[in-house]
Amino acid sequence: MSLIKLENASLNYGQTVLLEKQSLEIVAGDRLCLIGRNGAGKSSLMKVLSGEVELDDGSVWRKPSLILSRLEQDLPDADDLTVYDSVALGLGEMAQWLKEYEQLSHSASTEKDFDQLAKLQHNIEAGDGWGLSQRIETVLSRLGLDGTVIMRSLSGGWRRRVALARALARNPDVLLLDEPTNHLDVATIEWLEAQLLNFNGAIVFITHDRSFLEKLANRIVELDRGQLLQFSGTYDKFLEKREALLAEEARHNALFDKRLAEEEKWIRQGIKARRTRNEGRVRALKAMRDERKSRKQRVGSADLKLSDASISGKLVAQLERVHQSFGDRVIIDDFSTTIVRGDRIGLIGPNGAGKSTLLKIILGELSPPNGKVKLGTNLELAYFDQLRLQLNLDATPVDNISEGREFIEIDGKQKHIISYLQDFLFTGERARTPLRALSGGERNRVLLAKLFSKPSNLLVMDEPTNDLDVETLELLEEVLGAYSGTLLLVSHDRKFLNNVVTSTIAFEGQGVVREYVGGYEDWIAQGGRWIDADDAKAPAEESAASTQKTDTANDQTSSSSTDKPAKKASVKLSYKLQRELDALPKQLETLENQIAQLEETISAPDFYNQDQEAIQSSLAEHETAKSALDEAFERWMELEAMANGEA
């Protein structure tokens, strides 16, 4: 059954053609994945399907009374609503009608009140609203959610479940998902896959996670230069078909260019030839010139190269029987490993399991209360931060990387900063655009460019795959595979881990940390599993020790023969960490003042009378400040717990 149809659809943003007379049909049972390069227009096409964006030309048909839900990329607010009330927001105006009916039914006294009650009753019955409570309870039960829990107490992974419940509460015919796996840990991604495979309606989703794509998609649509390449089948078969089409396109273009060169040579012949030339041939040459000029070139691949520093010592780090806990919560229990030059190690585990803590121990930023840590010599570190805190959003890519220089040195050679950024697919215009106006994928490429411009022999990367398109991901895999230094990689991208790392350190729960040979699939094959996976049906308690909010699987710790009692010993902070702790109260105060000023601006009566770009900029700045406040507060709690030996 057809649910949505696009016919001869065209959409332009300025001079950029996103869709050029394209057709697409969404039918019941579709699990359609939209892929394409960053900036190709995937999110815009998604908004066309949902009705948020109007086409410049062509038509969109939607099945009458079609119910459509969208799982937003951003998590629901950590506010004071209960999970039930937050999920009820997914029913839009129906939830408001029910609330008004409940209130008015107890206070109606005038004829106007009773007329309003009748109108509300008609709307509710027409939309089958009386089954709302039962429908929400069914969705909550299916997703393992407790409707009485307050949103503020939930971790990021559980708020993602609430977002899905909100989308499913309407029992939609079509579910739209934009990068649903971003910032989710592997266990939650696998849970999400299972939920979506059991969904009866049509799904349209955008993802950079190739494992998620392979598991879920039964149709693939690539958006490239305004054209839609549609394919039913596996992702590997799609890649084969695309390569064949691109080879045929290249062959056709080469033949066309050869013929055009011959015609250009003919037109430049002497006077005699010009007198006797065929005017029809001249007109044909002009048409060929116009066709060549209008040809849309496929976006090239980034040219990623790492700058190697001098060779480090053979030993990078050695850990012996390390034990780390925060209050009653055991993070690492009796873990030993030796990291040598050239190792490529992946760290996997639920959000908040302790991956960042282990990295700090390996890098010497945190001294564990128990166990021994020996660091290697001549280490030159480069660090990729998933929150991109190294970037100044108000500065351009040029300013972020050059730091005032016109040329930078790459592998001993001087290279102009604009030329260097072109290797990362930035035109001159985009290279001089403030980061705040760039997409998430472009910001990630800026951070990669900044990271790769500095020599290193120890590379630490925390979730580098977020927002990158598949082509850039595959190139990054090749670069990391050829890196001669040592790599420590935190990632929830299973395919990326399989293709890059040589060993895996897995945080399996209840303080159990084990090392395995190979990547994620090798961990599974060797019997690896999440110890707390069976306890994932109750919301997690938040851990003050974690820099990220903890997903449920690791918070539901139960007694086990492998557990050790937590050691409540004060930890003497390093000079650097103590300075960070001392500076945080002032930082928190500054952020709170900034948020208060922004909220005053947003609540002004004429705020929404401004230019749309200014409105979105203020709203984005408000969200960024709120996120920064949450992170700073969690960091303050973590450092306080470390310093006092308390939970």
Side-chain angles (χ1 to χ4, degrees):
M1 179 193 301
S2 182
L3 301 175
I4 304 176
K5 283 184 182 178
L6 269 65
E7 293 185 351
N8 294 317
S10 294
L11 181 66
N12 304 315
Y13 277 0
Q15 299 297 316
T16 303
V17 178
L18 300 183
L19 285 173
E20 186 175 20
K21 296 183 178 179
Q22 295 298 296
S23 297
L24 178 66
E25 183 177 14
I26 310 299
V27 300
D30 266 347
R31 294 197 299 272
L32 187 153
C33 181
L34 286 175
I35 65 173
R37 301 301 294 264
N38 291 335
K42 302 185 295 297
S43 294
S44 298
L45 176 54
M46 185 89 80
K47 291 176 182 177
V48 168
L49 295 175
S50 67
E52 297 172 59
V53 169
E54 295 289 334
L55 290 171
D56 295 328
D57 196 14
S59 63
V60 183
W61 175 88
R62 297 179 185 85
K63 174 190 169 186
S65 69
L66 179 77
I67 300 176
L68 188 148
S69 289
R70 185 172 178 185
L71 179 66
E72 298 288 350
Q73 193 168 344
D74 296 331
L75 294 173
D77 292 335
D79 50 28
D80 292 323
L81 288 177
T82 65
V83 167
Y84 184 97
D85 290 339
S86 183
V87 171
L89 293 176
L91 285 98
E93 57 186 354
M94 179 63 73
Q96 184 62 32
W97 290 339
L98 284 160
K99 186 175 181 180
E100 289 180 17
Y101 186 91
E102 176 68 19
Q103 293 173 346
L104 197 57
S105 63
H106 294 294
S107 61
S109 57
T110 66
E111 185 176 346
K112 183 179 179 180
D113 289 342
F114 288 111
D115 287 343
Q116 178 64 14
L117 265 179
K119 182 180 178 181
L120 288 170
Q121 182 174 349
H122 173 76
N123 290 340
I124 293 169
E125 290 176 348
D128 190 27
W130 299 121
L132 167 67
S133 180
Q134 182 179 355
R135 189 183 311 164
I136 292 179
E137 292 292 350
T138 300
V139 171
L140 292 178
S141 175
R142 180 155 40 118
L143 301 186
L145 290 164
D146 182 348
T148 63
V149 172
I150 303 299
M151 290 292 292
R152 188 181 299 280
S153 69
L154 291 180
S155 65
W158 281 94
R159 282 161 58 207
R160 173 64 72 188
R161 294 193 186 207
V162 172
L164 183 59
R166 184 184 293 178
L168 294 176
R170 299 184 63 191
N171 194 22
D173 301 304
V174 180
L175 184 59
L176 304 179
L177 313 172
D178 192 351
E179 294 287 4
T181 65
N182 262 10
H183 308 294
L184 295 184
D185 57 47
V186 176
T188 309
I189 291 172
E190 291 175 338
W191 168 87
L192 181 60
E193 287 172 349
Q195 298 300 318
L196 295 177
L197 284 170
N198 291 325
F199 178 65
N200 293 324
I203 300 173
V204 181
F205 65 101
I206 299 169
T207 186
H208 68 272
D209 188 322
R210 288 159 292 174
S211 295
F212 187 80
L213 188 163
E214 291 169 358
K215 186 75 173 288
L216 196 63
N218 58 20
R219 284 183 66 199
I220 297 171
V221 175
E222 182 181 37
L223 179 54
D224 179 28
R225 294 166 288 175
Q227 307 295 308
L228 294 175
L229 173 60
Q230 305 185 41
F231 182 78
S232 296
T234 66
Y235 181 60
D236 287 340
K237 293 293 183 183
F238 165 78
L239 293 178
E240 291 177 12
K241 178 181 179 181
R242 184 179 64 177
E243 287 304 313
L245 290 174
L246 290 175
E248 177 61 23
E249 178 186 341
R251 188 186 68 81
H252 172 79
N253 288 343
L255 289 174
F256 180 91
D257 292 345
K258 181 179 179 181
R259 185 181 166 205
L260 177 59
E262 291 171 350
E263 294 300 293
E264 293 286 6
K265 180 178 179 182
W266 168 79
I267 201 68
R268 291 193 297 270
Q269 286 179 352
I271 296 173
K272 180 178 179 181
R274 286 199 297 272
R275 283 201 198 108
T276 59
R277 68 188 176 190
N278 184 319
E279 292 302 323
R281 191 172 176 182
V282 174
R283 287 192 295 272
L285 173 59
K286 184 178 183 301
M288 289 179 71
R289 287 171 172 170
D290 292 341
E291 183 179 344
R292 179 64 182 84
K293 186 177 180 181
S294 64
R295 181 191 300 170
K296 297 183 182 70
Q297 297 291 345
R298 182 173 173 82
V299 177
S301 296
D303 184 14
L304 310 183
K305 294 178 182 177
L306 273 164
S307 295
D308 292 332
S310 57
I311 298 176
S312 69
K314 179 67 175 176
L315 177 70
V316 174
Q318 186 175 50
L319 281 64
E320 293 183 14
R321 310 201 68 176
V322 167
H323 181 94
Q324 178 70 58
S325 61
F326 295 105
D328 294 330
R329 182 163 180 259
V330 179
I331 303 295
I332 302 168
D333 187 16
D334 197 24
F335 176 64
S336 300
T337 187
T338 300
I339 302 172
V340 299
R341 183 177 65 236
D343 279 349
R344 297 197 297 275
I345 301 174
L347 281 72
I348 62 172
N351 288 338
K355 300 184 293 294
S356 296
T357 299
L358 180 58
L359 282 178
K360 291 172 184 175
I361 291 173
I362 293 172
L363 299 177
E365 297 179 10
L366 177 64
S367 298
N370 296 89
K372 296 180 180 179
V373 180
K374 182 180 179 181
L375 301 180
T377 58
N378 197 30
L379 296 177
E380 294 191 39
L381 173 68
Y383 186 86
F384 183 100
D385 170 26
Q386 67 163 315
L387 299 177
R388 308 185 188 115
L389 298 179
Q390 304 171 45
L391 299 178
N392 180 357
L393 296 182
D394 295 317
T396 66
V398 169
D399 294 334
N400 267 283
I401 295 169
S402 68
E403 298 173 347
R405 300 166 294 171
E406 188 174 353
F407 291 86
I408 59 176
E409 187 173 305
I410 304 295
D411 287 337
K413 299 178 181 178
Q414 292 290 317
K415 194 163 191 176
H416 194 277
I417 185 62
I418 295 296
S419 176
Y420 177 64
L421 280 168
Q422 286 174 349
D423 293 340
F424 291 81
L425 304 182
F426 287 96
T427 63
E429 178 185 358
R430 298 302 280 177
R432 294 185 174 87
T433 301
L435 259 63
R436 197 173 296 281
L438 300 183
S439 68
E442 287 174 314
R443 293 181 191 180
N444 247 20
R445 292 207 306 271
V446 172
L447 186 51
L448 286 173
K450 184 180 181 72
L451 187 73
F452 291 179
S453 69
K454 297 178 179 180
S456 70
N457 53 36
L458 175 58
L459 183 61
V460 178
M461 306 192 84
D462 189 357
E463 287 295 345
T465 66
N466 287 338
D467 302 314
L468 293 180
D469 57 53
V470 173
E471 286 86 349
T472 306
L473 274 178
E474 291 173 348
L475 182 58
L476 181 57
E477 288 174 353
E478 293 179 17
V479 172
L480 295 178
Y483 181 51
S484 62
T486 305
L487 172 67
L488 301 177
L489 171 67
V490 178
S491 180
H492 302 308
D493 188 322
R494 293 157 289 176
K495 179 76 75 173
F496 193 76
L497 285 164
N498 290 336
N499 293 343
V500 171
V501 304
T502 56
S503 63
T504 299
I505 295 176
F507 288 74
E508 297 180 337
Q510 301 179 11
V512 177
V513 182
R514 296 192 179 104
E515 188 168 8
Y516 297 81
V517 174
Y520 178 78
E521 294 298 336
D522 298 297
W523 171 67
I524 296 291
Q526 295 171 66
R529 67 183 187 91
W530 311 119
I531 291 176
D532 296 331
D534 294 336
D535 299 326
K537 291 186 178 180
E541 295 179 0
E542 297 300 312
S543 169
S546 174
T547 56
Q548 300 178 16
K549 290 189 176 179
T550 306
D551 208 20
T552 303
N554 268 359
D555 285 330
Q556 295 287 329
T557 53
S558 58
S559 59
S560 168
S561 59
T562 59
D563 282 348
K564 288 187 178 181
K567 298 174 176 58
K568 292 190 177 182
S570 295
V571 178
K572 181 174 175 59
L573 297 180
S574 66
Y575 175 73
K576 180 178 178 182
L577 291 178
Q578 186 62 52
R579 287 195 62 185
E580 182 183 358
L581 176 60
D582 294 341
L584 276 169
K586 180 64 176 177
Q587 182 182 346
L588 289 167
E589 181 181 351
T590 301
L591 286 168
E592 287 171 346
N593 291 336
Q594 181 185 354
I595 290 170
Q597 292 173 2
L598 286 167
E599 288 176 345
E600 184 178 346
T601 300
I602 292 170
S603 61
D606 60 346
F607 175 75
Y608 288 97
N609 294 331
Q610 302 179 86
D611 178 78
Q612 188 65 25
E613 187 173 343
I615 294 172
Q616 292 301 323
S617 176
S618 296
L619 293 175
E621 188 176 355
H622 180 249
E623 286 302 312
T624 300
K626 284 175 63 181
S627 297
L629 180 63
D630 289 342
E631 291 158 10
F633 185 73
E634 288 177 10
R635 181 60 172 163
W636 174 74
M637 292 179 68
E638 176 186 2
L639 292 176
E640 281 282 291
M642 288 165 56
N644 299 328
E646 300 173 353

